[in-house]
Amino acid sequence: MAKQLDFHTIREIFIRFHAAEPEPKGELDHVNAYTLVVAVALSAQATDAGVNKATRKLFEIVTTPRQMLDLGEDRLIEHIKTIGLYRNKAKNVMKLSRILVDDYGGEVPNSRAALESLPGVGRKTANVVLNMWWQFPAQAVDTHIFRFGNRSGVAPGKDVNAVERSIEDNIPVDFQQHAHHWMILHGRYHCKARKPLCPTCLIRDLCEYEDKTV
C-alpha cells in the first residue's frame, strides 16, 4: 500500500485525467435506471463486455421491471447464460423486479439504502447507479479502483470501504462526480494487475507505486 498522496498531487492527477477525458462514461449498456440496475447486478464477477453482449437483445424487449416479470426467469436465463453465476443472478433480477413493481410503482428508488435493500444489489451496485443515473458523486470501488487507489497513493485503504472513504475525503470536490470513472478506466486499461503500462502512464511522475514497469 502506497502512502497517501497530498492534496496538490491528487489535484494534479485529476487535472490530467480531466484533460485526457473530460466526460468519462461507464461501459455498461443501458437505456434507463432499471436496465442500469440489472446490468450492474449482472456484472459482478463478469466483464462489462460480456454483460453487454448478453443484454443487447434482452434490453430490446425488456426495459421495465414489469416486462422482466412477464418475460420470466427461464427466458431471462436464455439471454444471460453466458455470464458467470447466471442462475443466481436471474433469481435476483426477478426478485428485485417484483419488489420494484410491488413497492416502488415500477420505478427505481434513488436512495442508497433503498437500492441496497434489493436482492443482488450491494453498496457497489447502488453507488454505480447513483453516480451514473442520478449524477450523485457516489464512489463505487471495484477491483480496478482498489488496485489503483492503493498503488498510486490516491486513495489507499485496507478494504473497499476504506478506499471509498479515502476517495471521498481526499479527492477535490470538483472532481468527485467523475472520479469513479476516471479511476476504473485507468485501472482497467493502464494500471493493470499483472503488467501495468507505467512507461506510457500520464501520471507516472506523480504515482507512488514502487514497482513501476519500464
Side-chain angles (χ1 to χ4, degrees):
M1 184 188 301
K3 68 177 183 180
Q4 175 71 57
L5 292 172
D6 63 75
F7 173 82
H8 298 290
T9 303
I10 292 175
R11 171 167 282 282
E12 176 59 27
I13 285 173
F14 284 91
I15 287 173
R16 294 184 190 182
F17 282 161
H18 178 270
E21 182 60 69
E23 295 289 334
K25 304 295 183 184
E27 297 185 319
L28 282 173
D29 293 338
H30 60 283
V31 298
N32 56 22
Y34 173 69
T35 54
L36 179 59
V37 170
V38 172
V40 180
L42 293 176
S43 71
Q45 296 179 289
T47 65
D48 288 359
V51 172
N52 289 341
K53 184 177 180 180
T55 59
R56 190 166 295 122
K57 291 184 178 179
L58 174 65
F59 291 162
E60 290 178 359
I61 58 175
V62 173
T63 60
T64 69
R66 169 54 66 188
Q67 290 173 340
M68 187 66 78
L69 294 176
D70 292 341
L71 182 73
E73 186 174 326
D74 290 341
R75 291 174 64 194
L76 172 59
I77 285 174
E78 286 302 307
H79 285 278
I80 68 170
K81 61 185 179 182
T82 57
I83 301 174
L85 307 175
Y86 67 91
R87 291 190 184 279
N88 188 56
K89 290 177 180 178
K91 291 183 184 299
N92 283 333
V93 168
M94 300 310 294
K95 289 178 182 177
L96 72 84
S97 298
R98 171 53 64 190
I99 292 172
L100 290 177
V101 168
D102 290 349
D103 297 347
Y104 296 97
E107 300 294 326
V108 175
N110 61 353
S111 84
R112 182 184 284 119
L115 286 167
E116 286 190 61
S117 72
L118 300 173
V121 177
R123 185 176 181 86
K124 185 182 78 171
T125 297
N127 282 348
V128 171
V129 175
L130 291 172
N131 184 289
M132 289 181 64
W133 192 255
W134 282 287
Q135 287 74 56
F136 180 78
Q139 307 300 334
V141 179
D142 69 349
T143 56
H144 301 298
I145 293 176
F146 184 82
R147 179 175 64 253
F148 169 71
N150 278 290
R151 271 183 179 172
S152 65
V154 167
K158 293 183 179 180
D159 54 41
V160 294
N161 291 328
V163 170
E164 182 181 333
R165 289 194 299 272
S166 184
I167 293 171
E168 294 173 344
D169 290 344
N170 295 297
I171 292 176
V173 171
D174 46 327
F175 293 117
Q176 287 272 339
Q177 177 60 52
H178 293 311
H180 159 256
H181 285 125
W182 279 317
M183 288 189 290
I184 194 172
L185 294 173
H186 192 73
R188 180 176 292 161
Y189 297 113
H190 297 281
C191 194
K192 300 179 181 181
R194 294 185 178 180
K195 295 182 179 179
L197 306 181
C198 299
T200 58
C201 178
L202 80 168
I203 63 166
R204 177 184 173 87
D205 58 315
L206 304 174
C207 174
E208 285 289 324
Y209 185 43
E210 294 182 353
D211 299 318
K212 292 186 178 76
T213 57
V214 295

